[in-house]
Amino acid sequence: KQLQVQIMRASKYDQEIPPTPEEIRQEYEATKEQYRDLTKDKIKFKKIFIPMLGDDSASTPEVQLNLAELIAKEIKSKNATFEDMAKRYSKDLYAEKGGDWPVTERSTLSPESAIIFGAQPGEIIGPLVDSTGFTIVLVEKKELAPPPPLSAIKEQIDMMARNKRSNERYKKWVERLRKKAIVKVYI
């Protein structure tokens, strides 16, 4: 039975018809972002880092998390500026500069820190938690690497367009079979 189904399937819908240039272009436009070299993405941001343990013995991770949440809330409600809070509370290399980091490539950030690439410029993220502390980030600008030209990935795009067309034709074939099918139920 399986062999019969395979033969029927092959005779009805497996005819290989190459995609048109327009279909290839549409597939490229829909999927080109998947082919970008993410390691070349760059981002400009400001950061406040609150260590897991503070300077005094009363500063537990819970206290430090509460501090980080309070700082983020104050900045988001515009009761304080990011720069002032960074100078006052941050414990990293750029605290004195108001948390202003230089343009940084995605490849130099830890995988956990790469979450900031999902934010829009002007958005405040955090506090983010890691094993060393809590981080609040203000994304200023993103420079995403461009997708490769169609000529560089034409084979992959062609294959995707063929598969898409083949799947659509298969679904239509199965739907036609279902409409014509006569099902008898015996009780």
Side-chain angles (χ1 to χ4, degrees):
K1 288 183 181 182
Q2 288 179 341
L3 186 59
Q4 287 174 335
V5 171
Q6 288 176 350
I7 292 170
M8 284 177 48
R9 183 184 303 151
S11 69
K12 295 293 181 184
Y13 98 97
D14 264 354
Q15 302 152 352
E16 188 67 32
I17 300 172
T20 65
E22 180 61 21
E23 288 174 324
I24 291 175
R25 189 193 61 72
Q26 288 175 351
E27 190 66 28
Y28 171 73
E29 290 300 322
T31 61
K32 66 184 177 183
E33 293 299 315
Q34 298 173 17
Y35 295 97
R36 287 188 316 103
D37 183 0
L38 299 181
T39 61
K40 294 183 180 175
D41 289 350
K42 296 178 182 178
I43 192 163
K44 176 82 171 96
F45 62 93
K46 293 183 179 183
K47 173 180 162 183
I48 298 173
F49 176 73
I50 308 296
M52 189 70 69
L53 298 173
D55 296 333
D56 60 8
S57 60
S59 294
T60 64
E62 292 80 24
V63 170
Q64 294 297 87
L65 174 59
N66 289 336
L67 174 62
E69 288 173 342
L70 178 65
I71 292 169
K73 182 179 175 185
E74 289 292 310
I75 295 169
K76 288 177 182 177
S77 65
K78 304 210 185 298
N79 291 335
T81 65
F82 198 96
E83 295 78 12
D84 290 341
M85 296 302 250
K87 288 176 184 175
R88 185 170 174 192
Y89 294 105
S90 187
K91 303 292 183 205
D92 70 356
L93 298 173
Y94 299 100
E96 293 177 5
K97 296 180 180 180
D100 193 19
W101 277 59
V103 174
T104 307
E105 289 187 354
R106 183 190 295 255
S107 59
T108 62
L109 295 173
S110 68
E112 300 84 28
S113 300
I115 192 170
I116 64 176
F117 276 94
Q120 296 302 315
E123 187 175 347
I124 296 171
I125 303 169
L128 305 172
V129 181
D130 67 21
S131 61
T132 59
F134 309 97
T135 305
I136 303 164
V137 178
L138 168 62
V139 176
E140 293 186 310
K141 184 173 81 171
K142 292 190 300 187
E143 297 174 29
L144 303 179
L150 176 57
S151 59
I153 57 172
K154 188 167 184 172
E155 287 181 28
Q156 293 100 318
I157 299 295
D158 183 82
M159 185 59 73
M160 288 176 70
R162 285 174 192 260
N163 288 341
K164 188 175 186 178
R165 176 185 272 182
S166 181
N167 287 339
E168 287 171 3
R169 291 178 67 217
Y170 176 72
K171 287 178 185 176
K172 287 178 183 177
W173 176 67
V174 169
E175 191 60 35
R176 281 194 310 269
L177 290 177
R178 285 185 178 146
K179 286 181 181 177
K180 293 178 184 178
I182 299 173
V183 178
K184 293 182 180 181
V185 179
Y186 297 97
I187 300 178

